Amino acid sequence: MEKGVTVQQSNVVIQVFSEYLKQHGLRKTPERFAILEAAYAMNCHFTAEQLLTEMTENQRFHVSRATVYNTMDLLVEAKLLHKHRIGGGAQYEVSYNSDSHYHQICTNCGAVTEFHDVKLHKDLTTLKTRRFTAQSYSLYVYGLCSKCMSALRKKQKRLIDKDNGRKKN
């Protein structure tokens, strides 16, 4: 399991998934639990394809692509993974015992970074809306990461320098 998850928490995650499968009349297969373990070991945002690659390359367990995708859906339904729609696809992150946080998404390279903001968290948790009780929330901030912003500035500077060179001639 994930480095940040203690043995006791690991057992709880396994128990939560076992109960979910039992309540829904689904089989408790070794493949499903191997996927759960691999997902919690990822330690970052990941796609189903990245998880499949990780499992295949480390030969933790051979599973089919369909089994990974189907199990990821079950883990989301069991509230053991968060599914984020970022860019053109889905990314996942573990949800058991995770702190509230927010996501910055680079619109150029697609990099996702997390950040925490105490004031924003307080504002969101105390937000009162009519006839609605918030249970959870997500916040995505789109922009350019520092690496892409630096590259953009360099490109703009080159264009300006090139344009200034033409005007002098």
Side-chain angles (χ1 to χ4, degrees):
M1 286 282 172
E2 179 186 16
K3 291 177 186 174
V5 176
T6 65
V7 172
Q8 183 179 4
Q9 291 169 331
S10 171
N11 291 337
V12 172
V13 169
I14 291 168
Q15 185 61 37
V16 168
F17 193 43
S18 292
E19 285 298 316
Y20 175 84
L21 294 172
K22 183 179 176 183
Q23 288 173 356
H24 290 83
L26 300 169
R27 291 181 29 225
K28 297 177 185 178
T29 65
E31 292 84 358
R32 287 177 173 162
F33 287 95
I35 292 166
L36 171 66
E37 182 179 335
Y40 269 76
M42 290 296 284
N43 255 348
C44 61
H45 293 92
F46 59 92
T47 65
E49 289 296 322
Q50 289 170 324
L51 182 67
L52 180 61
T53 299
E54 174 68 21
M55 291 184 75
T56 303
E57 287 178 0
N58 290 334
Q59 297 183 357
R60 292 175 190 255
F61 213 93
H62 178 72
V63 292
S64 72
R65 179 173 273 103
T67 300
V68 168
Y69 277 90
N70 292 333
T71 302
M72 299 286 280
D73 288 342
L74 294 176
L75 293 171
V76 169
E77 291 170 15
K79 306 212 182 317
L80 293 171
L81 288 181
H82 286 296
K83 183 176 185 178
H84 301 284
R85 304 253 184 243
I86 299 174
Q91 289 192 13
Y92 301 85
E93 70 178 322
V94 299
S95 62
Y96 180 79
N97 209 27
S98 65
D99 295 335
S100 293
H101 59 274
Y102 315 100
H103 299 90
Q104 298 174 140
I105 303 162
C106 181
T107 56
N108 187 53
C109 69
V112 178
T113 55
E114 296 177 354
F115 69 99
H116 300 267
D117 185 293
V118 175
K119 184 181 181 318
L120 187 56
H121 176 71
K122 182 180 177 198
D123 290 345
L124 287 171
T125 55
T126 60
L127 181 68
K128 302 260 192 262
T129 54
R130 281 184 70 190
R131 299 181 189 172
F132 185 80
T133 301
Q135 295 176 325
S136 66
Y137 56 86
S138 294
L139 177 67
Y140 302 97
V141 180
Y142 295 91
L144 293 176
C145 68
S146 59
K147 185 177 175 183
C148 290
M149 183 56 101
S150 177
L152 178 64
R153 285 184 183 135
K154 286 178 185 176
K155 183 178 179 180
Q156 288 173 338
K157 185 177 181 334
R158 280 194 303 268
L159 290 174
I160 290 169
D161 290 347
K162 186 177 180 181
D163 191 44
N164 287 339
R166 283 189 213 153
K167 289 179 183 178
K168 289 180 183 178
N169 294 332

PDB file of all heavy atoms in Angstrom, residues 11 15-16 25 29 33 41 44 54 70 72 77 85 90 99 119-120 127 139 141 155 167-168:
ATOM      1  N   ASN A  11      -5.326  -2.089   6.190  1.00  0.00           N
ATOM      2  CA  ASN A  11      -6.321  -3.101   6.523  1.00  0.00           C
ATOM      3  C   ASN A  11      -7.732  -2.537   6.419  1.00  0.00           C
ATOM      4  O   ASN A  11      -8.653  -3.234   5.988  1.00  0.00           O
ATOM      5  CB  ASN A  11      -6.071  -3.663   7.924  1.00  0.00           C
ATOM      6  CG  ASN A  11      -4.809  -4.493   7.988  1.00  0.00           C
ATOM      7  OD1 ASN A  11      -4.338  -5.011   6.978  1.00  0.00           O
ATOM      8  ND2 ASN A  11      -4.236  -4.601   9.172  1.00  0.00           N
ATOM      9  N   GLN A  15     -10.676  -3.775   4.001  1.00  0.00           N
ATOM     10  CA  GLN A  15     -11.967  -4.129   4.599  1.00  0.00           C
ATOM     11  C   GLN A  15     -13.118  -3.359   3.938  1.00  0.00           C
ATOM     12  O   GLN A  15     -14.169  -3.924   3.661  1.00  0.00           O
ATOM     13  CB  GLN A  15     -11.950  -3.866   6.107  1.00  0.00           C
ATOM     14  CG  GLN A  15     -13.211  -4.319   6.821  1.00  0.00           C
ATOM     15  CD  GLN A  15     -13.446  -5.815   6.696  1.00  0.00           C
ATOM     16  OE1 GLN A  15     -12.516  -6.611   6.723  1.00  0.00           O
ATOM     17  NE2 GLN A  15     -14.697  -6.204   6.547  1.00  0.00           N
ATOM     18  N   VAL A  16     -12.904  -2.065   3.685  1.00  0.00           N
ATOM     19  CA  VAL A  16     -13.933  -1.250   3.027  1.00  0.00           C
ATOM     20  C   VAL A  16     -14.255  -1.828   1.654  1.00  0.00           C
ATOM     21  O   VAL A  16     -15.428  -1.972   1.279  1.00  0.00           O
ATOM     22  CB  VAL A  16     -13.479   0.225   2.905  1.00  0.00           C
ATOM     23  CG1 VAL A  16     -14.384   1.019   1.967  1.00  0.00           C
ATOM     24  CG2 VAL A  16     -13.437   0.891   4.275  1.00  0.00           C
ATOM     25  N   GLY A  25     -22.789  -7.965  -4.112  1.00  0.00           N
ATOM     26  CA  GLY A  25     -22.815  -9.321  -4.675  1.00  0.00           C
ATOM     27  C   GLY A  25     -21.725  -9.570  -5.700  1.00  0.00           C
ATOM     28  O   GLY A  25     -21.931 -10.335  -6.649  1.00  0.00           O
ATOM     29  N   THR A  29     -11.965 -11.063  -5.958  1.00  0.00           N
ATOM     30  CA  THR A  29     -10.907 -11.721  -6.726  1.00  0.00           C
ATOM     31  C   THR A  29      -9.533 -11.165  -6.362  1.00  0.00           C
ATOM     32  O   THR A  29      -9.407 -10.003  -5.967  1.00  0.00           O
ATOM     33  CB  THR A  29     -11.133 -11.533  -8.237  1.00  0.00           C
ATOM     34  OG1 THR A  29     -11.002 -10.136  -8.551  1.00  0.00           O
ATOM     35  CG2 THR A  29     -12.507 -12.048  -8.660  1.00  0.00           C
ATOM     36  N   PHE A  33      -8.002  -6.986  -5.725  1.00  0.00           N
ATOM     37  CA  PHE A  33      -7.215  -6.535  -4.582  1.00  0.00           C
ATOM     38  C   PHE A  33      -5.797  -6.142  -4.992  1.00  0.00           C
ATOM     39  O   PHE A  33      -5.195  -5.247  -4.401  1.00  0.00           O
ATOM     40  CB  PHE A  33      -7.234  -7.582  -3.462  1.00  0.00           C
ATOM     41  CG  PHE A  33      -8.563  -7.627  -2.768  1.00  0.00           C
ATOM     42  CD1 PHE A  33      -9.528  -8.539  -3.156  1.00  0.00           C
ATOM     43  CD2 PHE A  33      -8.865  -6.722  -1.766  1.00  0.00           C
ATOM     44  CE1 PHE A  33     -10.777  -8.554  -2.546  1.00  0.00           C
ATOM     45  CE2 PHE A  33     -10.107  -6.733  -1.148  1.00  0.00           C
ATOM     46  CZ  PHE A  33     -11.068  -7.652  -1.538  1.00  0.00           C
ATOM     47  N   ALA A  41      -0.356   2.396  -4.081  1.00  0.00           N
ATOM     48  CA  ALA A  41       1.106   2.524  -4.120  1.00  0.00           C
ATOM     49  C   ALA A  41       1.565   3.585  -5.116  1.00  0.00           C
ATOM     50  O   ALA A  41       2.740   3.950  -5.126  1.00  0.00           O
ATOM     51  CB  ALA A  41       1.733   1.179  -4.489  1.00  0.00           C
ATOM     52  N   CYS A  44       0.539   9.404  -6.498  1.00  0.00           N
ATOM     53  CA  CYS A  44       0.365  10.583  -7.336  1.00  0.00           C
ATOM     54  C   CYS A  44      -0.951  10.432  -8.104  1.00  0.00           C
ATOM     55  O   CYS A  44      -1.636   9.424  -7.968  1.00  0.00           O
ATOM     56  CB  CYS A  44       1.522  10.722  -8.326  1.00  0.00           C
ATOM     57  SG  CYS A  44       1.662   9.324  -9.469  1.00  0.00           S
ATOM     58  N   GLU A  54       2.277   0.136 -14.745  1.00  0.00           N
ATOM     59  CA  GLU A  54       2.999  -0.099 -13.485  1.00  0.00           C
ATOM     60  C   GLU A  54       2.857  -1.551 -13.041  1.00  0.00           C
ATOM     61  O   GLU A  54       3.825  -2.188 -12.637  1.00  0.00           O
ATOM     62  CB  GLU A  54       2.461   0.850 -12.407  1.00  0.00           C
ATOM     63  CG  GLU A  54       3.027   0.624 -11.031  1.00  0.00           C
ATOM     64  CD  GLU A  54       4.494   0.968 -10.891  1.00  0.00           C
ATOM     65  OE1 GLU A  54       5.015   1.740 -11.713  1.00  0.00           O
ATOM     66  OE2 GLU A  54       5.121   0.447  -9.953  1.00  0.00           O
ATOM     67  N   ASN A  70     -12.585  -1.711 -15.104  1.00  0.00           N
ATOM     68  CA  ASN A  70     -13.776  -2.076 -14.330  1.00  0.00           C
ATOM     69  C   ASN A  70     -13.528  -1.963 -12.827  1.00  0.00           C
ATOM     70  O   ASN A  70     -14.387  -1.487 -12.076  1.00  0.00           O
ATOM     71  CB  ASN A  70     -14.243  -3.492 -14.685  1.00  0.00           C
ATOM     72  CG  ASN A  70     -14.783  -3.578 -16.095  1.00  0.00           C
ATOM     73  OD1 ASN A  70     -15.269  -2.592 -16.648  1.00  0.00           O
ATOM     74  ND2 ASN A  70     -14.687  -4.754 -16.693  1.00  0.00           N
ATOM     75  N   MET A  72     -11.283  -0.038 -11.370  1.00  0.00           N
ATOM     76  CA  MET A  72     -11.142   1.386 -11.031  1.00  0.00           C
ATOM     77  C   MET A  72     -12.528   1.998 -10.808  1.00  0.00           C
ATOM     78  O   MET A  72     -12.714   2.768  -9.865  1.00  0.00           O
ATOM     79  CB  MET A  72     -10.420   2.137 -12.148  1.00  0.00           C
ATOM     80  CG  MET A  72      -9.023   1.632 -12.418  1.00  0.00           C
ATOM     81  SD  MET A  72      -7.841   2.078 -11.184  1.00  0.00           S
ATOM     82  CE  MET A  72      -7.513   3.725 -11.701  1.00  0.00           C
ATOM     83  N   GLU A  77     -16.652   3.968  -6.918  1.00  0.00           N
ATOM     84  CA  GLU A  77     -17.971   3.781  -6.295  1.00  0.00           C
ATOM     85  C   GLU A  77     -17.853   3.476  -4.805  1.00  0.00           C
ATOM     86  O   GLU A  77     -18.692   3.900  -4.005  1.00  0.00           O
ATOM     87  CB  GLU A  77     -18.734   2.669  -7.003  1.00  0.00           C
ATOM     88  CG  GLU A  77     -19.166   3.028  -8.413  1.00  0.00           C
ATOM     89  CD  GLU A  77     -19.697   1.822  -9.187  1.00  0.00           C
ATOM     90  OE1 GLU A  77     -20.004   0.778  -8.573  1.00  0.00           O
ATOM     91  OE2 GLU A  77     -19.792   1.933 -10.428  1.00  0.00           O
ATOM     92  N   ARG A  85     -11.746  14.483 -13.939  1.00  0.00           N
ATOM     93  CA  ARG A  85     -11.778  14.677 -15.391  1.00  0.00           C
ATOM     94  C   ARG A  85     -10.824  15.833 -15.689  1.00  0.00           C
ATOM     95  O   ARG A  85     -11.156  16.986 -15.489  1.00  0.00           O
ATOM     96  CB  ARG A  85     -13.172  15.025 -15.863  1.00  0.00           C
ATOM     97  CG  ARG A  85     -14.194  14.006 -15.460  1.00  0.00           C
ATOM     98  CD  ARG A  85     -14.639  13.193 -16.648  1.00  0.00           C
ATOM     99  NE  ARG A  85     -15.697  12.281 -16.237  1.00  0.00           N
ATOM    100  CZ  ARG A  85     -15.579  10.983 -16.279  1.00  0.00           C
ATOM    101  NH1 ARG A  85     -14.479  10.440 -16.730  1.00  0.00           N
ATOM    102  NH2 ARG A  85     -16.557  10.195 -15.899  1.00  0.00           N
ATOM    103  N   ALA A  90      -9.422  10.814 -17.807  1.00  0.00           N
ATOM    104  CA  ALA A  90      -9.638  10.697 -16.365  1.00  0.00           C
ATOM    105  C   ALA A  90      -8.325  10.407 -15.667  1.00  0.00           C
ATOM    106  O   ALA A  90      -7.493   9.653 -16.167  1.00  0.00           O
ATOM    107  CB  ALA A  90     -10.629   9.586 -16.073  1.00  0.00           C
ATOM    108  N   ASP A  99      -6.318  14.414   2.721  1.00  0.00           N
ATOM    109  CA  ASP A  99      -6.657  15.784   3.093  1.00  0.00           C
ATOM    110  C   ASP A  99      -7.350  16.484   1.925  1.00  0.00           C
ATOM    111  O   ASP A  99      -7.127  16.140   0.766  1.00  0.00           O
ATOM    112  CB  ASP A  99      -5.390  16.582   3.435  1.00  0.00           C
ATOM    113  CG  ASP A  99      -4.691  16.045   4.666  1.00  0.00           C
ATOM    114  OD1 ASP A  99      -5.369  15.415   5.504  1.00  0.00           O
ATOM    115  OD2 ASP A  99      -3.473  16.258   4.785  1.00  0.00           O
ATOM    116  N   LYS A 119      -7.372  29.340   4.100  1.00  0.00           N
ATOM    117  CA  LYS A 119      -8.490  30.288   3.983  1.00  0.00           C
ATOM    118  C   LYS A 119      -9.547  29.772   3.005  1.00  0.00           C
ATOM    119  O   LYS A 119     -10.744  29.812   3.286  1.00  0.00           O
ATOM    120  CB  LYS A 119      -7.993  31.660   3.546  1.00  0.00           C
ATOM    121  CG  LYS A 119      -9.106  32.709   3.494  1.00  0.00           C
ATOM    122  CD  LYS A 119      -8.577  34.046   3.037  1.00  0.00           C
ATOM    123  CE  LYS A 119      -9.619  35.125   2.982  1.00  0.00           C
ATOM    124  NZ  LYS A 119     -10.901  34.771   2.445  1.00  0.00           N
ATOM    125  N   LEU A 120      -9.102  29.276   1.874  1.00  0.00           N
ATOM    126  CA  LEU A 120     -10.031  28.746   0.876  1.00  0.00           C
ATOM    127  C   LEU A 120     -10.793  27.547   1.429  1.00  0.00           C
ATOM    128  O   LEU A 120     -12.007  27.418   1.250  1.00  0.00           O
ATOM    129  CB  LEU A 120      -9.257  28.365  -0.387  1.00  0.00           C
ATOM    130  CG  LEU A 120     -10.065  27.937  -1.601  1.00  0.00           C
ATOM    131  CD1 LEU A 120     -11.074  28.992  -2.006  1.00  0.00           C
ATOM    132  CD2 LEU A 120      -9.117  27.642  -2.761  1.00  0.00           C
ATOM    133  N   LEU A 127     -19.398  27.509   3.555  1.00  0.00           N
ATOM    134  CA  LEU A 127     -20.292  28.043   2.532  1.00  0.00           C
ATOM    135  C   LEU A 127     -21.723  27.555   2.768  1.00  0.00           C
ATOM    136  O   LEU A 127     -21.970  26.364   2.926  1.00  0.00           O
ATOM    137  CB  LEU A 127     -19.811  27.591   1.142  1.00  0.00           C
ATOM    138  CG  LEU A 127     -20.611  28.064  -0.050  1.00  0.00           C
ATOM    139  CD1 LEU A 127     -20.454  29.577  -0.216  1.00  0.00           C
ATOM    140  CD2 LEU A 127     -20.127  27.354  -1.305  1.00  0.00           C
ATOM    141  N   LEU A 139     -11.822  21.569  -6.688  1.00  0.00           N
ATOM    142  CA  LEU A 139     -11.446  22.853  -7.247  1.00  0.00           C
ATOM    143  C   LEU A 139     -10.284  22.626  -8.191  1.00  0.00           C
ATOM    144  O   LEU A 139      -9.278  22.015  -7.819  1.00  0.00           O
ATOM    145  CB  LEU A 139     -11.034  23.842  -6.146  1.00  0.00           C
ATOM    146  CG  LEU A 139     -10.555  25.201  -6.637  1.00  0.00           C
ATOM    147  CD1 LEU A 139     -11.697  25.981  -7.276  1.00  0.00           C
ATOM    148  CD2 LEU A 139      -9.960  25.991  -5.488  1.00  0.00           C
ATOM    149  N   VAL A 141      -7.787  24.744 -10.843  1.00  0.00           N
ATOM    150  CA  VAL A 141      -7.310  26.032 -11.301  1.00  0.00           C
ATOM    151  C   VAL A 141      -6.481  25.772 -12.554  1.00  0.00           C
ATOM    152  O   VAL A 141      -5.502  25.016 -12.510  1.00  0.00           O
ATOM    153  CB  VAL A 141      -6.450  26.738 -10.219  1.00  0.00           C
ATOM    154  CG1 VAL A 141      -5.954  28.080 -10.720  1.00  0.00           C
ATOM    155  CG2 VAL A 141      -7.249  26.886  -8.928  1.00  0.00           C
ATOM    156  N   LYS A 155       9.870  32.397 -25.891  1.00  0.00           N
ATOM    157  CA  LYS A 155       9.373  32.416 -27.270  1.00  0.00           C
ATOM    158  C   LYS A 155       8.911  33.820 -27.642  1.00  0.00           C
ATOM    159  O   LYS A 155       9.227  34.321 -28.734  1.00  0.00           O
ATOM    160  CB  LYS A 155       8.223  31.417 -27.429  1.00  0.00           C
ATOM    161  CG  LYS A 155       7.689  31.312 -28.830  1.00  0.00           C
ATOM    162  CD  LYS A 155       6.596  30.267 -28.920  1.00  0.00           C
ATOM    163  CE  LYS A 155       6.039  30.176 -30.320  1.00  0.00           C
ATOM    164  NZ  LYS A 155       4.968  29.170 -30.411  1.00  0.00           N
ATOM    165  N   LYS A 167      12.777  45.731 -38.050  1.00  0.00           N
ATOM    166  CA  LYS A 167      12.449  47.158 -38.081  1.00  0.00           C
ATOM    167  C   LYS A 167      13.702  48.012 -38.220  1.00  0.00           C
ATOM    168  O   LYS A 167      13.656  49.088 -38.792  1.00  0.00           O
ATOM    169  CB  LYS A 167      11.672  47.568 -36.815  1.00  0.00           C
ATOM    170  CG  LYS A 167      10.270  47.017 -36.805  1.00  0.00           C
ATOM    171  CD  LYS A 167       9.541  47.431 -35.536  1.00  0.00           C
ATOM    172  CE  LYS A 167       8.158  46.801 -35.506  1.00  0.00           C
ATOM    173  NZ  LYS A 167       7.437  47.125 -34.278  1.00  0.00           N
ATOM    174  N   LYS A 168      14.837  47.542 -37.686  1.00  0.00           N
ATOM    175  CA  LYS A 168      16.086  48.292 -37.770  1.00  0.00           C
ATOM    176  C   LYS A 168      16.642  48.292 -39.195  1.00  0.00           C
ATOM    177  O   LYS A 168      17.331  49.197 -39.592  1.00  0.00           O
ATOM    178  CB  LYS A 168      17.121  47.726 -36.798  1.00  0.00           C
ATOM    179  CG  LYS A 168      16.808  48.007 -35.356  1.00  0.00           C
ATOM    180  CD  LYS A 168      17.877  47.419 -34.460  1.00  0.00           C
ATOM    181  CE  LYS A 168      17.509  47.637 -33.001  1.00  0.00           C
ATOM    182  NZ  LYS A 168      18.497  47.041 -32.111  1.00  0.00           N
TER     183      LYS A 168
END
